[in-house]
Amino acid sequence: MNPSQNPSAVRSKNEITDTLLRLMSTIPYNEITVKQIILESHVARKTFYRNFCSKDDVLDAYIDNIMYQYVESLQQMEGGQLSNTLDIIFNFCTQYKNLLFLLRDNHLMYLLLEKWNAFIPVIHNQITGDNCIISHSFSSEQISYIIAFNIGAVWNVIMKWIAYDMRETPDTIKRTLLNYLAGLSSYATP
């Protein structure tokens, strides 16, 4: 993808992305062609290929943009409490509910998981810093397992929520998870 911030290029990228998402709501992703995106978005073929390599590149760039916003929110978070992190996660899921449904319906949710697995470990140290108890108690290899465990746990909660068409409120799910984790800690051996 071409990262140009020229207003005309940004407009074209947005139109191409919006068109792909609109097409995904009516046509299976694997049946959408670049030609359809070009015709529906009313951009020149040259413009499409100046900004993207393929339809996969369009979707990848869109998800990257969302992930950068998500990371920025995590970096601005006051305190590293689980409750705050869950708020950010659920806010993003709510904000991008339509995209999540499109990805689910097109069997593309794995793309989001791949992004989380790539982005979260990279920003872990930026968010937690050296004062985090995890940093002092575990090796870097062990921390990578802990991060993968957390991503997997949150991922499965989000997948279950999406499978239920996101009917439960984020607060209900968050309370359930926090109550469960509080209960687990009461079973921990001293």
Side-chain angles (χ1 to χ4, degrees):
M1 180 191 73
N2 180 350
S4 172
Q5 293 304 314
N6 173 305
S8 177
V10 170
R11 253 189 325 277
S12 294
K13 288 178 201 174
N14 289 341
E15 183 57 37
I16 291 165
T17 302
D18 292 345
T19 300
L20 174 60
L21 297 174
R22 193 171 49 253
L23 286 169
M24 285 174 65
S25 68
T26 58
I27 302 169
Y29 180 78
N30 61 354
E31 294 178 16
I32 298 171
T33 65
V34 169
K35 183 176 181 177
Q36 283 176 297
I37 297 168
I38 290 168
L39 291 172
E40 294 279 332
S41 64
H42 305 292
V43 298
R45 182 176 182 81
K46 181 178 174 181
T47 300
F48 180 92
Y49 284 109
R50 188 177 321 125
N51 291 290
F52 301 104
C53 299
S54 65
K55 71 176 180 185
D56 294 341
D57 194 28
V58 177
L59 191 55
D60 185 62
Y62 185 63
I63 294 172
D64 271 353
N65 184 43
I66 292 168
M67 288 303 299
Y68 286 123
Q69 292 173 43
Y70 172 71
V71 167
E72 188 176 308
S73 294
L74 287 174
Q75 290 171 329
Q76 294 173 358
M77 178 177 64
E78 295 294 326
Q81 294 183 347
L82 177 60
S83 179
N84 296 342
T85 303
L86 289 173
D87 285 338
I88 290 170
I89 291 167
F90 284 119
N91 285 340
F92 268 84
C93 288
T94 301
Q95 182 179 352
Y96 293 101
K97 179 179 184 175
N98 292 336
L99 173 65
L100 294 175
F101 288 162
L102 286 175
L103 293 175
R104 174 198 65 191
D105 295 345
N106 284 279
H107 309 287
L108 295 169
M109 287 298 292
Y110 71 92
L111 295 174
L112 192 57
L113 179 59
E114 287 175 356
K115 293 294 181 184
W116 276 6
N117 282 325
F119 274 74
I120 300 303
V122 170
I123 65 156
H124 171 76
N125 288 334
Q126 295 172 357
I127 294 171
T128 61
D130 291 332
N131 296 329
C132 178
I133 192 167
I134 293 173
S135 300
H136 299 293
S137 304
F138 297 97
S139 71
S140 60
E141 185 175 282
Q142 290 170 323
I143 290 172
S144 69
Y145 284 116
I146 293 167
I147 292 169
F149 175 82
N150 289 327
I151 291 170
V154 170
W155 174 255
N156 280 300
V157 169
I158 298 303
M159 289 297 292
K160 183 61 67 180
W161 189 36
I162 293 168
Y164 292 146
D165 292 325
M166 298 172 78
R167 288 187 297 263
E168 293 281 340
T169 66
D171 283 338
T172 300
I173 299 168
K174 186 173 90 170
R175 270 194 316 275
T176 301
L177 297 175
L178 294 175
N179 287 338
Y180 170 72
L181 292 171
L184 280 181
S185 66
S186 68
Y187 292 112
T189 54

